[in-house]
């Protein structure tokens, strides 16, 4: 994952820089520990015991271990797309399904591949196939996203973001 | 020959479009310490979320929060007592979430005997980021309810709830859609 300094000085990726079929730079997160999972529960005040009480997770709910929260994945995926767009692009949409569980010891790779690109109202729209795979190449949340990038020499992506007229 | 009984009853179908109240999402404003804890748990060190001086040089002009932060602001108000103690008093083997967490402006329950709830997926649309001091408001509705058959042949419902979040000026910040499997 990028550091604060890398995010501070990140250079803009322009629409002109991406091609259909291109893999965007991945994120690697982990290994995930029970402490990471507990810290997320504490931060958002999610007291579901399957996230920090191993006996409850295993013996009551029949899970392999404590498991990472869907809300964490729901937050990391937009973060990944946001970082791809920095400093002045916009991560407009993301959607995904929850598939495989994330458990302590997992190392995760967020990935994105360009499936379509088009220009509308002077802005570059890039559609992506996205996901987060574990170290065994198992997909935990397959989905899609749309990011908006400026064209080289084009107008800035508006903020607040205004979607194009259909 | 037996006919499968649909779980997508007229009463269930009637829930599509039903809205919750327009409510303030949190008992307090977007503030720096809660944001610090959230971003560290997310493992997002972006200085746009904490460095005032740097944030002034960005397109935002001030410290902002990740849009998804607004969906976790429904924390327990001090006036609500201690929901954790209450839950374990009622059920010594509480799972720690049933009866503990209640969404503000919550929707009425979907009238179904399918009790198990699984998180199926999420969809997010983002328009503007919250800033420090913002008061966040939200309104939820049932966007769609569909019936599917599980791999074991049992019926299930896919219930999608849409929530729109706004700041105190009425600006739309983001829209979230959460799909839950009821089986």
């Amino acid at each position: 994952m990028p550091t604060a300094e890398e995010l501070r000085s990140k250079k803009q990726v322009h629409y002109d820089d991406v091609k259909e079929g291109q893999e965007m730079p991945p994120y690697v997160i982990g290994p995930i520990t029970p402490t990471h999972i507990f810290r997320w529960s504490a931060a958002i005040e999610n007291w579901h015991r399957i996230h920090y009480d191993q006996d409850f997770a295993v013996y009551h709910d029949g899970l392999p271990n404590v498991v990472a929260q869907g809300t964490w994945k729901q937050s990391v995926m937009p973060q990944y797309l946001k970082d791809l767009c920095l400093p002045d692009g916009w991560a407009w949409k993301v959607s995904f399904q929850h598939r495989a569980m994330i458990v302590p010891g997992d190392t995760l790779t967020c990935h994105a591949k360009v499936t379509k690109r088009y220009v509308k109202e002077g802005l570059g729209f890039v559609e992506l196939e996205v996901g987060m795979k574990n170290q065994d190449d198992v997909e935990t949340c397959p989905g899609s996203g749309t990011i908006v990038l400026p064209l080289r020499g084009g107008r800035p992506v508006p903020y607040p973001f205004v979607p194009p007229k259909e | 020959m037996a006919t499968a009984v649909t779980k997508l009853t007229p009463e269930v179908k009637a829930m599509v479009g039903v809205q919750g109240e327009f409510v303030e999402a949190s008992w307090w404003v977007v503030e720096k310490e809660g944001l610090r804890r959230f971003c560290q748990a997310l493992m997002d060190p972006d200085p746009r979320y904490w460095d005032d001086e740097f944030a002034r040089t960005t397109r935002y002009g001030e410290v902002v929060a990740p849009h998804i932060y607004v969906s976790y602001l429904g924390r327990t108000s001090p006036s609500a007592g201690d929901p954790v103690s209450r839950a374990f008093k009622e059920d010594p083997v509480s799972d720690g979430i049933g009866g503990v967490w209640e969404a503000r402006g919550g929707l009425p329950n979907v009238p179904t005997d399918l009790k198990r709830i699984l998180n199926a997926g999420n969809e997010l649309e983002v328009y503007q980021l919250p800033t420090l001091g913002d008061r966040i408001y939200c309104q939820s509705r049932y966007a769609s309810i569909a019936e599917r058959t599980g791999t074991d042949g049992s019926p299930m419902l896919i219930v999608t709830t849409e929530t729109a979040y706004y700041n105190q000026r009425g600006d739309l910040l983001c829209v979230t859609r959460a799909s839950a499997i009821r089986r």
Side-chain angles (χ1 to χ4, degrees):
Chain A
M1 296 176 86
T3 64
E5 287 313 307
E6 287 167 339
L7 294 171
R8 199 185 289 270
S9 58
K10 183 172 177 295
K11 300 293 181 208
Q12 183 67 53
V13 173
H14 292 86
Y15 174 79
D16 318 65
D17 302 329
V18 301
K19 304 278 179 286
E20 278 189 20
Q22 179 179 334
E23 303 274 357
M24 303 301 277
Y27 252 21
V28 178
I29 311 171
I32 298 296
T33 69
T35 310
H36 288 104
I37 297 172
F38 172 73
R39 181 172 62 172
W40 181 256
S41 277
I44 68 162
E45 299 190 16
N46 171 350
W47 308 122
H48 200 171
R49 293 167 68 187
I50 60 171
H51 302 309
Y52 55 87
D53 182 337
Q54 190 180 41
D55 281 353
F56 185 88
V58 173
Y59 298 117
H60 186 274
D61 271 28
L63 298 169
N65 200 336
V66 293
V67 294
Q69 301 85 347
T71 51
W72 181 74
K73 283 192 279 187
Q74 178 188 233
S75 304
V76 170
M77 292 307 293
Q79 173 192 352
Y80 171 54
L81 297 191
K82 177 263 294 182
D83 288 350
L84 291 177
C85 295
L86 285 177
D88 293 327
W90 190 249
W92 179 25
K93 294 181 183 180
V94 63
S95 66
F96 51 86
Q97 298 176 342
H98 293 283
R99 295 275 180 85
M101 287 181 281
I102 295 171
V103 295
D106 280 353
T107 295
L108 304 160
T109 302
C110 295
H111 58 90
K113 183 178 179 180
V114 178
T115 55
K116 187 178 175 184
R117 63 197 278 283
Y118 54 92
V119 175
K120 228 175 192 179
E121 298 179 10
L123 300 173
F125 291 79
V126 179
E127 294 185 1
L128 302 165
E129 175 187 287
V130 301
M132 182 190 290
K133 289 183 177 178
N134 69 15
Q135 64 284 349
D136 298 321
D137 210 34
V138 174
E139 186 57 76
T140 70
C141 56
S144 61
T146 305
I147 61 174
V148 187
L149 299 174
L151 276 65
R152 201 172 290 283
R155 72 177 179 109
V157 177
Y159 180 79
F161 180 67
V162 180
K165 295 180 181 70
E166 290 301 327
Chain B
M1 188 172 138
T3 305
V5 177
T6 181
K7 295 294 182 181
L8 194 58
T9 62
E11 293 76 17
V12 169
K13 285 182 185 172
M15 299 305 289
V16 176
V18 170
Q19 288 191 319
E21 294 173 67
F22 183 87
V23 292
E24 186 161 10
S26 174
W27 80 284
W28 193 234
V29 299
V30 175
E31 47 80 29
K32 217 166 191 175
E33 172 56 17
L35 181 57
R36 176 200 65 82
R37 190 183 301 188
F38 178 83
C39 290
Q40 286 185 337
L42 181 58
M43 294 180 266
D44 188 343
D46 196 331
R48 290 162 185 78
Y49 300 148
W50 54 270
D51 184 337
D52 293 302
E53 194 176 331
F54 174 72
R56 275 195 289 274
T57 70
T58 68
R59 66 191 322 206
Y60 309 114
E62 59 184 324
V63 165
V64 290
H67 71 278
I68 199 66
Y69 184 59
V70 299
S71 67
Y72 305 125
L73 289 175
R75 296 176 180 137
T76 307
S77 159
S79 65
D82 179 359
V84 172
S85 297
R86 196 165 53 235
F88 281 90
K89 192 172 180 183
E90 288 170 5
D91 177 7
V93 289
S94 166
D95 61 6
I97 196 161
V100 175
W101 189 84
E102 288 182 18
R104 292 174 188 229
L107 291 163
N109 290 327
V110 174
T112 177
D113 58 357
L114 300 171
K115 298 299 180 196
R116 195 161 178 225
I117 302 176
L118 301 168
N119 193 352
N122 295 94
E123 188 178 332
L124 312 166
E125 288 175 24
V126 192
Y127 299 96
Q128 189 172 337
L129 302 180
T131 59
L132 298 177
D134 274 359
R135 302 198 80 101
I136 304 299
Y137 298 81
C138 66
Q139 187 166 34
S140 298
R141 71 181 185 101
Y142 287 117
S144 66
I145 303 178
E147 187 170 36
R148 297 279 187 276
T149 303
T151 50
D152 61 355
S154 59
M156 56 188 189
L157 295 174
I158 312 293
V159 180
T160 300
T161 305
E162 179 182 282
T163 304
Y165 291 90
Y166 304 85
N167 63 17
Q168 66 278 6
R169 293 181 295 279
D171 301 327
L172 177 64
L173 302 178
C174 64
V175 178
T176 68
R177 294 182 194 89
S179 294
I181 298 171
R182 300 288 299 264
R183 58 184 309 175

